[in-house]
Amino acid sequence: MKKYQSVRGMRDILPNESKAFRSLEDKLISSASQYGFQEIKTPILEDTNLFIKSIGGGTDIVEKEMYSFIDSKNNSISMRPEGTASCARALIENGLNDTINKIWYSGPFFRHERPQKGRYRQFHQFGIEFIGVENFEADFEIISLANNMWRNLNINPTLTINSIGDSDDRKKYINVLVEYLKKYENSFNENEKNKLKLNPLRILDTKNIKTLEILEQAPKISEYISKESKTHFENLLRLLGDNNIEYIKEEKLVRGLDYYNRTVFEYIDDSDNTQNTICAGGRYDFLFENLCDKKLPALGFAIGIERLIEYTKYEEKDDRIKSFYIITLSEKDHLYSLNIANLIRNISKKFIVSSSYSYKNIKSQLKKADKLSSDYCVIIGQEESKNNTCQIKNMNSGDQKNIGIDAIEQYIRNEICFKE
Ligand code: HAM
């Protein structure tokens, strides 16, 4: 028989990992909520043109990585490769762009990239978007929020930051950059030659050592950005410095999505991971104007959840969570065992109680409890149900005690030294 497998680059997130996912997400949500961000959920599918118009037709994401298809009405539809364009579309469509200005989202995104560690075709992002504030203080606020998240997770990724100016500045810069790079075109690989034609700024991202050498003498974007962009950036850097937020100014950081202007930044996992950007974002003051003819400054960032889990080696750890496995030796005592299960669940929301329904010999049921890594077994035989008691076995120490139903709560509280 054919063995079915998940689609290449798309993985199952099994219970052990999904626990970490959920708990990590809860921490990110808690930070975002404290800064006044509210949740938005947008559809997985969007009009392909939305992404062409916002991310840009010449970008890798749009040109090579989108999952797009033609629907039965001949419309081109794409699975969302990122969240910013969808958020802008949703706020415009629902007339909320003046009232709701801080949103967060979390969910799956899709890019047809070459799968490797930290790079998947279906991956998860937690993102925030802050709409309507042009001042550099807003840039500072979202970086502070990211840092607040890292603090809650006990990590300290490196912040790299740059300003790519406004679109006129960038046009001027691209002209001089292309003029400079053309002299070296023969040393470029096919991919770089392609980028030189379609999206020359992306050459700055190269990892090719030869090209990096060529870039050392290339014109720098900071020399071409307007006075306003420069002041915005300098004020932001000053505020970061005043607040002891460390950063690395990186002239070559340009980002792979066309909607950005002025501030762009990334947080890098500084261990030796190859896919090491765990969070990225920046300003996109012209995206709304591009989609609805109304100028509305905005900025945001998105965190790659898989990469963050990998970086933090994040595991859900809560010593208060205890698992109980209820072993009943006869079917007729099922109701009795259900009452005990509920009694234990009511002691604390942190207690996980499951029942064995096999009614088989106790040995095989204890083995199952062990496999499930249960902390305690509650054993109910005929004697116990007749006398309104149960046996509680500590699976770690092996200790086992006969406890009356009325004393279960007190016994568990003492035994576990339980604190809410
Ligand atoms: P991005 O840099 O394309 O930006 O993605 C943000 C983050 O998503 C990356 O830094 C990375 O951690 C994660 N990521 C991206 N692609 C993959 C992949 N194939 N597999 C695993 N993780 C991945 C954006 O998407 C922008 N919308 C961010 C933003 C929000 N800018 C302003 N607001």
Side-chain angles (χ1 to χ4, degrees), residues 171-196:
K171 272 186 209 141
K172 267 189 250 154
Y173 175 65
I174 288 173
N175 283 340
V176 290
L177 181 68
V178 169
E179 204 176 299
Y180 172 82
L181 293 175
K182 274 212 161 141
K183 291 186 271 180
Y184 302 95
E185 199 171 350
N186 289 340
S187 339
F188 290 166
N189 60 31
E190 277 317 301
N191 186 17
E192 288 164 344
K193 281 183 187 158
N194 226 2
K195 280 185 179 158
L196 188 59

Short mmCIF file of all heavy atoms in Angstrom, two decimals, residues 171-196:
data_model
loop_
_atom_site.label_atom_id
_atom_site.label_comp_id
_atom_site.label_asym_id
_atom_site.label_seq_id
_atom_site.Cartn_x
_atom_site.Cartn_y
_atom_site.Cartn_z
N LYS A 171 16.02 55.00 -5.13
CA LYS A 171 16.20 55.00 -6.59
C LYS A 171 17.57 55.55 -6.95
O LYS A 171 18.31 55.00 -7.76
CB LYS A 171 15.10 55.85 -7.25
CG LYS A 171 13.85 55.03 -7.54
CD LYS A 171 12.84 55.86 -8.31
CE LYS A 171 11.44 55.36 -7.99
NZ LYS A 171 10.46 56.42 -7.86
N LYS A 172 17.91 56.69 -6.29
CA LYS A 172 19.22 57.31 -6.57
C LYS A 172 20.33 56.33 -6.22
O LYS A 172 21.27 56.13 -6.98
CB LYS A 172 19.39 58.56 -5.67
CG LYS A 172 18.94 59.85 -6.34
CD LYS A 172 19.34 61.04 -5.48
CE LYS A 172 18.09 61.68 -4.87
NZ LYS A 172 18.28 62.40 -3.63
N TYR A 173 20.20 55.69 -5.07
CA TYR A 173 21.25 54.78 -4.61
C TYR A 173 21.37 53.58 -5.55
O TYR A 173 22.49 53.18 -5.92
CB TYR A 173 20.95 54.31 -3.18
CG TYR A 173 21.95 53.28 -2.71
CD1 TYR A 173 23.30 53.60 -2.56
CD2 TYR A 173 21.55 51.97 -2.43
CE1 TYR A 173 24.21 52.65 -2.14
CE2 TYR A 173 22.47 51.01 -2.02
CZ TYR A 173 23.81 51.36 -1.89
OH TYR A 173 24.72 50.42 -1.49
N ILE A 174 20.22 53.04 -5.97
CA ILE A 174 20.27 51.85 -6.84
C ILE A 174 21.02 52.20 -8.13
O ILE A 174 21.84 51.42 -8.62
CB ILE A 174 18.84 51.33 -7.13
CG1 ILE A 174 18.29 50.67 -5.85
CG2 ILE A 174 18.82 50.30 -8.27
CD1 ILE A 174 16.83 50.26 -5.91
N ASN A 175 20.77 53.41 -8.68
CA ASN A 175 21.47 53.81 -9.91
C ASN A 175 22.99 53.77 -9.74
O ASN A 175 23.70 53.20 -10.56
CB ASN A 175 21.05 55.23 -10.32
CG ASN A 175 19.68 55.20 -10.97
OD1 ASN A 175 19.24 54.13 -11.43
ND2 ASN A 175 18.99 56.33 -10.99
N VAL A 176 23.47 54.37 -8.63
CA VAL A 176 24.93 54.39 -8.46
C VAL A 176 25.48 53.00 -8.12
O VAL A 176 26.57 52.64 -8.56
CB VAL A 176 25.41 55.41 -7.40
CG1 VAL A 176 25.24 56.82 -7.87
CG2 VAL A 176 24.74 55.21 -6.07
N LEU A 177 24.67 52.23 -7.39
CA LEU A 177 25.11 50.88 -7.04
C LEU A 177 25.25 50.02 -8.31
O LEU A 177 26.26 49.34 -8.52
CB LEU A 177 24.12 50.23 -6.06
CG LEU A 177 24.48 48.84 -5.58
CD1 LEU A 177 25.72 48.86 -4.68
CD2 LEU A 177 23.32 48.19 -4.79
N VAL A 178 24.22 50.12 -9.18
CA VAL A 178 24.25 49.31 -10.41
C VAL A 178 25.44 49.74 -11.28
O VAL A 178 26.16 48.91 -11.82
CB VAL A 178 22.91 49.45 -11.17
CG1 VAL A 178 23.01 48.84 -12.57
CG2 VAL A 178 21.78 48.78 -10.39
N GLU A 179 25.64 51.04 -11.34
CA GLU A 179 26.76 51.55 -12.14
C GLU A 179 28.09 50.94 -11.64
O GLU A 179 28.92 50.48 -12.41
CB GLU A 179 26.81 53.07 -11.98
CG GLU A 179 27.49 53.79 -13.13
CD GLU A 179 27.37 55.29 -12.90
OE1 GLU A 179 26.23 55.80 -12.83
OE2 GLU A 179 28.42 55.91 -12.75
N TYR A 180 28.23 50.90 -10.31
CA TYR A 180 29.44 50.34 -9.71
C TYR A 180 29.54 48.83 -9.96
O TYR A 180 30.57 48.32 -10.39
CB TYR A 180 29.45 50.64 -8.21
CG TYR A 180 30.55 49.95 -7.45
CD1 TYR A 180 31.85 50.47 -7.42
CD2 TYR A 180 30.30 48.75 -6.77
CE1 TYR A 180 32.87 49.82 -6.73
CE2 TYR A 180 31.32 48.08 -6.10
CZ TYR A 180 32.60 48.63 -6.08
OH TYR A 180 33.60 47.97 -5.41
N LEU A 181 28.42 48.12 -9.71
CA LEU A 181 28.46 46.65 -9.78
C LEU A 181 28.64 46.14 -11.21
O LEU A 181 29.24 45.08 -11.43
CB LEU A 181 27.19 46.05 -9.17
CG LEU A 181 27.03 46.24 -7.65
CD1 LEU A 181 25.69 45.71 -7.17
CD2 LEU A 181 28.18 45.53 -6.90
N LYS A 182 28.15 46.91 -12.17
CA LYS A 182 28.24 46.47 -13.58
C LYS A 182 29.68 46.21 -14.00
O LYS A 182 29.97 45.35 -14.81
CB LYS A 182 27.59 47.51 -14.49
CG LYS A 182 26.09 47.29 -14.61
CD LYS A 182 25.60 47.71 -15.97
CE LYS A 182 24.26 47.06 -16.23
NZ LYS A 182 23.36 47.97 -16.90
N LYS A 183 30.59 46.98 -13.38
CA LYS A 183 32.00 46.81 -13.74
C LYS A 183 32.50 45.41 -13.37
O LYS A 183 33.50 44.94 -13.87
CB LYS A 183 32.85 47.85 -12.97
CG LYS A 183 32.60 49.28 -13.44
CD LYS A 183 33.56 50.24 -12.77
CE LYS A 183 32.98 50.73 -11.48
NZ LYS A 183 33.68 51.65 -10.68
N TYR A 184 31.80 44.78 -12.41
CA TYR A 184 32.26 43.47 -11.92
C TYR A 184 31.35 42.33 -12.35
O TYR A 184 31.45 41.22 -11.84
CB TYR A 184 32.35 43.50 -10.39
CG TYR A 184 33.26 44.58 -9.88
CD1 TYR A 184 32.74 45.81 -9.52
CD2 TYR A 184 34.64 44.38 -9.80
CE1 TYR A 184 33.57 46.82 -9.06
CE2 TYR A 184 35.48 45.38 -9.35
CZ TYR A 184 34.94 46.61 -8.98
OH TYR A 184 35.77 47.60 -8.54
N GLU A 185 30.44 42.64 -13.29
CA GLU A 185 29.40 41.67 -13.64
C GLU A 185 29.97 40.29 -13.98
O GLU A 185 29.39 39.26 -13.64
CB GLU A 185 28.56 42.21 -14.79
CG GLU A 185 27.23 41.52 -14.90
CD GLU A 185 26.31 42.19 -15.90
OE1 GLU A 185 26.62 43.31 -16.38
OE2 GLU A 185 25.28 41.57 -16.22
N ASN A 186 31.11 40.28 -14.64
CA ASN A 186 31.68 39.01 -15.07
C ASN A 186 32.08 38.10 -13.91
O ASN A 186 32.17 36.89 -14.06
CB ASN A 186 32.89 39.23 -15.98
CG ASN A 186 32.42 39.77 -17.32
OD1 ASN A 186 31.24 39.61 -17.66
ND2 ASN A 186 33.30 40.46 -18.04
N SER A 187 32.31 38.70 -12.75
CA SER A 187 32.68 37.85 -11.60
C SER A 187 31.46 37.32 -10.87
O SER A 187 31.60 36.54 -9.93
CB SER A 187 33.51 38.64 -10.58
OG SER A 187 34.09 39.75 -11.13
N PHE A 188 30.26 37.74 -11.26
CA PHE A 188 29.06 37.31 -10.54
C PHE A 188 28.57 35.95 -11.00
O PHE A 188 28.74 35.56 -12.15
CB PHE A 188 27.91 38.31 -10.77
CG PHE A 188 28.13 39.64 -10.09
CD1 PHE A 188 27.35 40.75 -10.43
CD2 PHE A 188 29.09 39.80 -9.10
CE1 PHE A 188 27.54 41.97 -9.82
CE2 PHE A 188 29.29 41.02 -8.47
CZ PHE A 188 28.52 42.10 -8.83
N ASN A 189 27.91 35.22 -10.08
CA ASN A 189 27.25 33.98 -10.50
C ASN A 189 25.89 34.33 -11.13
O ASN A 189 25.47 35.50 -11.11
CB ASN A 189 27.11 32.99 -9.32
CG ASN A 189 26.28 33.57 -8.19
OD1 ASN A 189 25.37 34.37 -8.41
ND2 ASN A 189 26.60 33.18 -6.96
N GLU A 190 25.22 33.31 -11.69
CA GLU A 190 23.97 33.55 -12.45
C GLU A 190 22.93 34.27 -11.59
O GLU A 190 22.26 35.21 -12.01
CB GLU A 190 23.38 32.22 -12.94
CG GLU A 190 23.98 31.72 -14.24
CD GLU A 190 24.17 32.81 -15.29
OE1 GLU A 190 23.16 33.43 -15.67
OE2 GLU A 190 25.33 33.06 -15.71
N ASN A 191 22.83 33.81 -10.33
CA ASN A 191 21.86 34.37 -9.40
C ASN A 191 22.12 35.86 -9.18
O ASN A 191 21.21 36.70 -9.22
CB ASN A 191 21.98 33.58 -8.08
CG ASN A 191 20.92 33.97 -7.10
OD1 ASN A 191 19.92 34.59 -7.47
ND2 ASN A 191 21.13 33.64 -5.84
N GLU A 192 23.40 36.21 -9.01
CA GLU A 192 23.73 37.63 -8.77
C GLU A 192 23.52 38.46 -10.03
O GLU A 192 23.06 39.61 -9.97
CB GLU A 192 25.18 37.74 -8.29
CG GLU A 192 25.35 37.24 -6.86
CD GLU A 192 26.80 36.97 -6.47
OE1 GLU A 192 27.67 36.86 -7.38
OE2 GLU A 192 27.05 36.83 -5.27
N LYS A 193 23.82 37.84 -11.19
CA LYS A 193 23.57 38.57 -12.45
C LYS A 193 22.09 38.89 -12.58
O LYS A 193 21.68 39.98 -13.00
CB LYS A 193 24.03 37.73 -13.65
CG LYS A 193 25.52 37.78 -13.85
CD LYS A 193 25.92 36.99 -15.08
CE LYS A 193 27.44 36.91 -15.18
NZ LYS A 193 27.95 35.84 -15.95
N ASN A 194 21.29 37.90 -12.21
CA ASN A 194 19.84 38.08 -12.25
C ASN A 194 19.38 39.19 -11.32
O ASN A 194 18.56 40.04 -11.68
CB ASN A 194 19.20 36.75 -11.79
CG ASN A 194 18.09 36.38 -12.71
OD1 ASN A 194 17.82 37.08 -13.69
ND2 ASN A 194 17.44 35.27 -12.41
N LYS A 195 19.97 39.16 -10.11
CA LYS A 195 19.60 40.19 -9.13
C LYS A 195 20.00 41.58 -9.61
O LYS A 195 19.30 42.57 -9.36
CB LYS A 195 20.27 39.90 -7.79
CG LYS A 195 19.53 38.83 -7.00
CD LYS A 195 20.14 38.65 -5.65
CE LYS A 195 19.37 37.59 -4.87
NZ LYS A 195 20.16 36.99 -3.81
N LEU A 196 21.12 41.64 -10.30
CA LEU A 196 21.59 42.93 -10.80
C LEU A 196 20.55 43.54 -11.73
O LEU A 196 20.33 44.75 -11.73
CB LEU A 196 22.93 42.74 -11.52
CG LEU A 196 23.65 44.01 -11.94
CD1 LEU A 196 23.97 44.90 -10.74
CD2 LEU A 196 24.96 43.68 -12.67
#
